[in-house]
Amino acid sequence: MSKSAEIELTHLKMSIRYLIGLLEEGSLVPRYDEATRREIGVVLQHLLHKVEGLPDGVPDNLVQGTAVRALVEAAADHDEAAQQEQADFLERQMCEAEAWASIHGHQLEPWEQVAGSVMEYQTSCEMCGGFIYVSHNSNYNLLLETCERIKQE
């Protein structure tokens, strides 16, 4: 690699890292929402990492494939983070529902996963038969304000 090519590569890496920082900070691109800026930054970070590992003389189509892999990996990272956020939210929903039920005198049965779903659970009160449904984006509490035993033994 000639000296000018090395300098060009150094400048390119520096400018991409600076661009990543600007995207994360957001003041120069306010029309992009935060999630979009973050995703673009992650793609660029993956791309830098992948390009640094390429051997000399790699054909252009493989370099382009590296760009595609960087985008796919960044998307997978985003999906994994989103799923973890949903799982955390679901867990909070369940804990809050359990606390509310306990405060109001209900005794909940163990949570059951709703058939055919991944992040949907339901339970009912052992005493009154009232029902609670929670998912990663909603909940339905059909318990009475005060537990009244109506379930037949």
Side-chain angles (χ1 to χ4, degrees), residues 68-83:
V68 170
R69 285 196 316 275
L71 183 59
V72 168
E73 286 178 7
D77 289 351
H78 174 74
D79 291 345
E80 185 177 315
Q83 286 177 342

Side-chain angles (χ1 to χ4, degrees), residues 42-58:
V42 170
V43 170
L44 291 172
Q45 288 172 340
H46 278 275
L47 184 60
L48 275 176
H49 177 71
K50 292 212 163 293
V51 169
E52 287 174 349
L54 289 176
D56 292 341
V58 172

Side-chain angles (χ1 to χ4, degrees), residues 5 8 27 35 41-42 48-49 73 80 87 93 125 129-130 140 142 152:
E8 185 178 320
S27 66
V42 170
L48 275 176
H49 177 71
E73 286 178 7
E80 185 177 315
Q93 294 273 73
C125 176
Y140 301 98
L142 301 176
Q152 298 296 322

